Amino acid sequence: MNRVTTVILVGPMFLTLHVGRVRSAQNDYPLKPVPFTQVRVTDQFWAPRLETNRKVTIPHAFRKCEETGRIDNFAIAGGLMKGKTRGYFFNDSDVYKVIEGAANALALSREPELEEYVDDVIAKIAAAQEDDGYLYTARTAMTPDRMPPGGKERWSNIPHGHELYCVGHLYEAAVAHYLSTGKRTLLDVAIKNADLICKVFGPDKKCDPPGHQGIEIGLMKLHRVTGDEKYLKMAKFFLDQRGRTEGHRLYGEYSQDHKLVVEQDEAVGHAVRAGYMYSGMADVVAFTGDFDYLKTLDRIWDNVVGKKLYITGGIGARGGHEGFGEEYVLPNLSAYCETCAAIANALWNHRMFLTYGDAKYIDVLERVIYNGLLSGVSMEGDKFFYPNPLESHSGASRSPWFGCACCPSNVVRFIPSIPGYAYAQPDNGLYISLFVGGSATVELDGRILRIKQETRYPWGGNVKITVEPEKPNQELTINVRIPGWARNQPVPSDLYRYIRRSDEKVTLAVNGRLIPLDMHKGFARIKRKWNAGDLIELHLPMPVRRVLAHDNVLDDEGRVALERGPIVYCAEGIDNEDGHVLNLLLPDHAELTSEYREDMLNGIVVVHGKAHVVKRSMDGKPMMMKEAVDFLAIPYYAWCHRGRGQMAVWLARKVAAAKPLPAPTIARTSRVTVSGGGAISALTDQLEPKSSDDHSNPFFHWWPRKGTLEWVQYNFAKGEEVSVAEVYWFDDTGIGECRVPKSWRILYKDGDEWKPGVNIEPYGVEKDKYNKVTFKKVKTNSLRLEVQFQDKWSAGIHEWSVR
């Protein structure tokens, strides 16, 4: 077989390598990303994170895969050891993703010990593969008491079985491993499985599309590395089958299987599934030029960026289905913003940039990687967030691992790829998309071009770019991205806007001489003949900016977010008055300054200012304190590294939007006991719900208990006279399992005996209002609210006040 040089796309990046059984891609994206293997990062922001991923996160993830039985599952399925498989039926995918991350690390630095370990894991995977290519440990090693979805038969529950999803990640890992090491061990496993898939699925065969997308991306990578058209056709077949009733029962919006993909115009359902699907569609467009696919992606991208994108770049507002909510519905406390969804969003936006060469897609990608993604992994590299909310009342903590560990394993493979987003090349030119200190080597028309960046980005906006062409007077166009945030546009839509325009100017100079900005699709074009040592100097002003959300985003009404450069900020309790931030009001006129703090959180720029405390009076009205207090904000990605506490991205700028400190009512000062349930403090936090299904504030609930008799109880410090109780029920009909109760009553403690209150009016169970009951006045040390649930349903409470 002849060996040739080819350019291969791995994840978001191309690798130029000598490989066998490959062909040069004749159709592909108009822009080719400079592979991460040709980008050397030496800055103070990304370089430490890349090293942490290599030294900490990859070994940690492999160790967790061992501890949780994920790797043993392959050994059991392959007959190499006895036992029963453990964990979720889709756990194979985590091992594949960690291998992909390890392969990316090996492509940068050959580490014999890591390579030997990966080889051993691959041997177990190969052993688990059945003779015809089938690979799914949950079914191969099933036992009568441990069956995968659908039972014994292959492909019997494709909507939930994840057979296709898992092998999609196998294909990605196999290509990455092959290109980084030259070994075919995992690639041969992947090809054998993909050939089986192509035999089983297709026109006049099995027609079910994957329940969880992802295989489409993997198939496209196999197509690139092998040149086999059947993998491209299979990817497109799976995409075209969505929304078709012939041959399968539709899975619905959750899996984007409610319409033909070319008829979809709104992002719905599970956010990770959607992001992977859009990325796969973009890959198919690159090779087929399918105009209908491209127009669909345009429509859906406009919908996401215009109506469903969080300021952090996160996507997925609803936790119930881990996915998109209604347009403009972007709650902060209950924001799901799964880490995997952030990665999927980045993958999709990079592909859109490679298609169109428009900086608006990099604007979104940059917002994701500096904010919504980076918050998902600790600075130490061994703890992770699954969801990434934009508000917390009592704090949170990252976890070392999860039963469903898709997010940690996704972080492992994605972080090493980030340098591959910095540069891209058309036929004769270069795009500088991200500002990362270090160097890159690019081949243009057979000539080598070296680029060196010097910058403190994202903390500083000065970027020096040294150009080193192989030969003098090399003519080419260098396109330097001018970020949207530097052009008074936080995102490429009207979903967010700055409260005031900045008049500070972006400047660009070549060899010390200022040049006008020749803008095209968000890039400043510099076309000239380049010589060694030519210097581009970019200045991006970085004032602290106040951001407002679209008026239709009710959760952010009366609130403001802070940005500086690409960084979104949050306030954390540990840095602010008495550990509270949700009750702070930041006036529009308050001066905000920034300061680099090397001693904080591995070095960050903080934002200083003055804010006002808002408290609730005894008559229930919110009051702003006249005296201002010191205020400090930190980058959102850095929150939750110093213990639990309050956090908020969106801060009140109007009294009505603040969450006041509660008044010292008899309910608030009581000791609360319950029959079970969580979020006890929500009962007395005095935060007014907008409706019974309001998720913007904490609520108390008894879920998963259903159909039972439960209670909550206020224990007063001394005897109190009470005669009125008001209850605002929590009810999440449509998305959860809490309903207003069947009935309830008030009991008071008389000595050691509980007695029912003599109610003057009925006990109400209406939604979206306070249900007030007046009873004969009693003096007691304890008051109990007893609740009888509806059959098969649970219940919850927003507020219970007494007087």
Side-chain angles (χ1 to χ4, degrees):
M1 180 181 297
N2 294 328
R3 301 186 69 81
V4 297
T5 299
T6 186
V7 178
I8 305 294
L9 183 70
V10 183
M13 71 295 292
F14 285 77
L15 294 179
T16 303
L17 293 168
H18 294 281
V19 293
R21 196 189 170 192
V22 296
R23 55 96 173 136
S24 295
Q26 296 176 357
N27 300 312
D28 216 318
Y29 288 100
L31 297 182
K32 300 175 183 178
V34 175
F36 71 93
T37 52
Q38 292 171 216
V39 180
R40 182 169 176 261
V41 177
T42 58
D43 70 354
Q44 295 301 307
F45 190 86
W46 286 113
R49 286 163 174 79
L50 293 169
E51 189 69 357
T52 297
N53 190 75
R54 183 178 69 86
K55 287 187 174 181
V56 178
T57 313
I58 290 173
H60 173 81
F62 272 131
R63 187 162 54 251
K64 288 297 180 182
C65 284
E66 290 178 355
E67 292 172 359
T68 57
R70 283 168 166 81
I71 294 175
D72 283 351
N73 287 348
F74 288 100
I76 293 167
L80 304 178
M81 65 180 291
K82 294 182 179 180
K84 291 183 179 181
T85 58
R86 289 188 281 159
Y88 287 109
F89 48 85
F90 46 75
N91 279 358
D92 293 359
S93 64
D94 297 324
V95 179
Y96 301 143
K97 283 185 283 184
V98 179
I99 289 175
E100 183 182 352
N104 290 339
L106 289 171
L108 295 172
S109 174
R110 296 303 286 265
E111 298 179 40
E113 186 175 347
L114 175 61
E115 189 168 349
E116 183 179 348
Y117 179 87
V118 170
D119 287 344
D120 181 68
V121 175
I122 290 173
K124 293 182 173 70
I125 294 170
Q129 186 168 40
E130 298 186 26
D131 291 341
D132 63 353
Y134 185 77
L135 183 53
Y136 182 54
T137 64
R139 180 158 285 115
T140 300
M142 63 186 171
T143 57
D145 60 342
R146 185 170 168 76
M147 290 281 185
K152 296 180 180 180
E153 297 298 320
R154 294 177 180 181
W155 328 113
S156 54
N157 193 340
I158 291 177
H160 305 106
H162 284 58
E163 288 156 292
L164 299 176
Y165 166 77
C166 286
V167 296
H169 283 300
L170 164 68
Y171 305 162
E172 293 194 72
V175 171
H177 179 256
Y178 175 52
L179 293 174
S180 67
T181 67
K183 298 176 182 178
R184 298 186 59 94
T185 47
L186 192 58
L187 182 63
D188 287 341
V189 171
I191 289 173
K192 188 176 182 180
N193 178 269
D195 288 348
L196 172 67
I197 299 295
C198 291
K199 291 177 183 176
V200 173
F201 293 86
D204 302 320
K205 304 176 188 176
K206 199 163 187 62
C207 295
D208 308 69
H212 192 312
Q213 297 90 319
I215 192 173
E216 301 85 354
I217 297 173
L219 285 164
M220 291 306 300
K221 290 186 178 182
L222 282 182
H223 170 58
R224 277 193 175 90
V225 83
T226 66
D228 196 326
E229 291 290 324
K230 69 172 178 281
Y231 302 138
L232 166 61
K233 292 177 180 178
M234 191 76 259
K236 191 173 190 305
F237 173 79
F238 279 142
L239 291 166
D240 287 341
Q241 281 303 109
R242 309 198 87 79
R244 294 186 186 277
T245 56
E246 302 89 347
H248 87 285
R249 179 176 55 83
L250 297 183
Y251 313 149
E253 287 189 353
Y254 175 75
S255 297
Q256 298 78 41
D257 189 35
H258 58 301
K259 294 180 180 179
L260 298 177
V261 291
V262 294
E263 294 178 357
Q264 297 185 28
D265 52 16
E266 180 181 359
V268 296
H270 191 269
V272 182
R273 285 170 162 84
Y276 285 173
M277 184 178 85
Y278 306 149
S279 298
M281 289 175 68
D283 283 345
V284 170
V285 169
F287 277 86
T288 66
D290 192 305
F291 184 78
D292 291 333
Y293 270 26
L294 188 57
K295 292 297 104 182
T296 298
L297 291 173
D298 290 342
R299 292 194 304 271
I300 296 175
W301 189 88
D302 287 342
N303 176 254
V304 171
V305 176
K307 298 175 181 177
K308 298 191 177 187
L309 181 74
Y310 277 92
I311 190 70
T312 57
I315 54 174
R318 298 295 192 188
H321 63 275
E322 300 182 319
F324 294 102
E326 299 78 12
E327 293 178 346
Y328 298 111
V329 177
L330 296 167
N332 296 305
L333 179 66
S334 61
Y336 204 68
C337 292
E338 185 181 336
T339 301
C340 280
I343 291 172
N345 197 20
L347 296 175
W348 176 31
N349 273 277
H350 190 238
R351 286 162 164 81
M352 296 297 284
F353 164 66
L354 298 178
T355 302
Y356 285 114
D358 196 317
K360 67 183 182 180
Y361 303 110
I362 300 295
D363 287 343
V364 176
L365 184 151
E366 182 181 67
R367 184 167 293 274
V368 171
I369 64 174
Y370 279 103
N371 302 289
L373 161 73
L374 209 52
S375 62
V377 56
S378 69
M379 293 176 181
E380 297 78 15
D382 59 357
K383 293 184 175 63
F384 310 89
F385 274 146
Y386 199 109
N388 294 271
L390 279 72
E391 180 176 302
S392 177
H393 286 240
S394 57
S397 59
R398 293 176 180 85
S399 298
W401 201 247
F402 303 99
C404 173
C406 54
C407 293
S409 55
N410 231 347
V411 167
V412 168
R413 71 177 185 136
F414 184 78
I415 292 291
S417 75
I418 287 175
Y421 295 105
Y423 304 93
Q425 54 188 107
D427 291 335
N428 183 31
L430 183 69
Y431 282 81
I432 301 176
S433 301
L434 298 178
F435 306 112
V436 180
S439 59
T441 303
V442 186
E443 184 177 341
L444 295 171
D445 291 334
R447 296 181 179 182
I448 297 299
L449 174 69
R450 291 181 174 83
I451 295 289
K452 179 182 178 182
Q453 282 198 51
E454 299 172 85
T455 181
R456 291 185 62 250
Y457 201 89
W459 310 129
N462 292 326
V463 185
K464 291 183 178 180
I465 304 167
T466 304
V467 183
E468 297 281 350
E470 184 178 15
K471 294 183 178 181
N473 295 318
Q474 184 172 343
E475 185 172 340
L476 70 143
T477 300
I478 295 180
N479 303 273
V480 180
R481 174 173 155 261
I482 309 300
W485 57 259
R487 294 181 283 115
N488 287 298
Q489 188 180 41
V491 297
S493 73
D494 64 354
L495 185 57
Y496 301 105
R497 68 188 187 278
Y498 292 126
I499 196 170
R500 283 184 289 271
R501 289 183 58 84
S502 172
D503 294 327
E504 297 186 57
K505 300 296 184 183
V506 174
T507 62
L508 192 65
V510 176
N511 295 332
R513 183 178 180 180
L514 289 175
I515 63 173
L517 297 181
D518 178 17
M519 297 297 296
H520 180 68
K521 294 184 178 181
F523 286 89
R525 298 180 293 191
I526 312 173
K527 184 177 182 180
R528 70 192 302 270
K529 293 180 179 180
W530 299 90
N531 292 290
D534 283 344
L535 179 65
I536 302 170
E537 293 177 280
L538 174 66
H539 171 65
L540 300 169
M542 284 190 173
V544 179
R545 308 295 300 272
R546 287 174 164 88
V547 184
L548 302 181
H550 193 286
D551 292 344
N552 289 343
V553 183
L554 300 182
D555 287 278
D556 298 334
E557 185 177 8
R559 294 185 169 90
V560 64
L562 303 179
E563 290 185 356
R564 183 180 180 275
I567 301 293
V568 174
Y569 281 76
C570 72
E572 237 186 333
I574 192 172
D575 300 311
N576 290 281
E577 182 80 2
D578 296 327
H580 298 289
V581 297
L582 301 169
N583 66 313
L584 295 181
L585 185 148
L586 188 64
D588 291 348
H589 59 79
E591 182 183 5
L592 297 174
T593 60
S594 59
E595 174 195 12
Y596 182 72
R597 290 281 301 274
E598 189 174 0
D599 61 324
M600 282 184 69
L601 299 165
N602 292 343
I604 58 171
V605 168
V606 300
V607 172
H608 293 283
K610 292 286 188 179
H612 294 267
V613 172
V614 179
K615 297 182 178 181
R616 195 175 296 281
S617 64
M618 289 299 289
D619 64 2
K621 295 180 180 179
M623 304 182 302
M624 185 183 79
M625 302 295 101
K626 290 184 179 180
E627 185 176 351
V629 298
D630 290 333
F631 165 82
L632 187 141
I634 66 169
Y636 169 73
Y637 76 77
W639 86 283
C640 193
H641 280 91
R642 298 170 293 170
R644 301 177 71 93
Q646 290 190 358
M647 182 277 293
V649 170
W650 289 95
L651 303 160
R653 58 191 284 257
K654 297 181 179 179
V655 172
K659 298 186 176 182
L661 293 177
T665 62
I666 59 173
R668 182 65 186 178
T669 57
S670 69
R671 181 175 59 87
V672 184
T673 53
V674 299
S675 60
I680 295 174
S681 63
L683 291 164
T684 62
D685 62 16
Q686 298 170 24
L687 298 178
E688 295 295 318
K690 299 173 184 176
S691 63
S692 286
D693 68 346
D694 185 7
H695 286 69
S696 65
N697 290 316
F699 50 86
F700 170 84
H701 64 84
W702 284 280
W703 187 87
R705 300 183 184 183
K706 300 175 186 177
T708 55
L709 181 71
E710 306 290 346
W711 53 265
V712 296
Q713 181 176 314
Y714 289 161
N715 303 289
F716 307 125
K718 59 182 180 64
E720 298 283 358
E721 289 187 343
V722 290
S723 60
V724 177
E726 292 186 90
V727 183
Y728 202 115
W729 300 110
F730 174 72
D731 185 307
D732 58 358
T733 298
I735 60 173
E737 297 182 320
C738 287
R739 302 291 184 271
V740 294
K742 180 179 180 181
S743 62
W744 63 287
R745 62 175 182 164
I746 294 292
L747 303 171
Y748 68 95
K749 199 168 189 180
D750 185 4
D752 293 329
E753 184 181 357
W754 286 100
K755 295 182 178 179
V758 179
N759 56 304
I760 300 170
E761 52 195 351
Y763 290 103
V765 289
E766 294 184 59
K767 293 198 299 183
D768 305 329
K769 61 176 288 187
Y770 279 98
N771 290 265
K772 178 183 175 182
V773 62
T774 303
F775 49 91
K776 186 177 180 181
K777 183 182 293 185
V778 297
K779 187 172 184 178
T780 181
N781 288 317
S782 296
L783 201 67
R784 176 176 288 185
L785 189 157
E786 189 178 78
V787 183
Q788 177 61 58
F789 297 175
Q790 295 186 50
D791 292 341
K792 300 179 181 180
W793 298 109
S794 189
I797 300 172
H798 278 290
E799 290 289 319
W800 174 30
S801 65
V802 298
R803 62 182 185 272

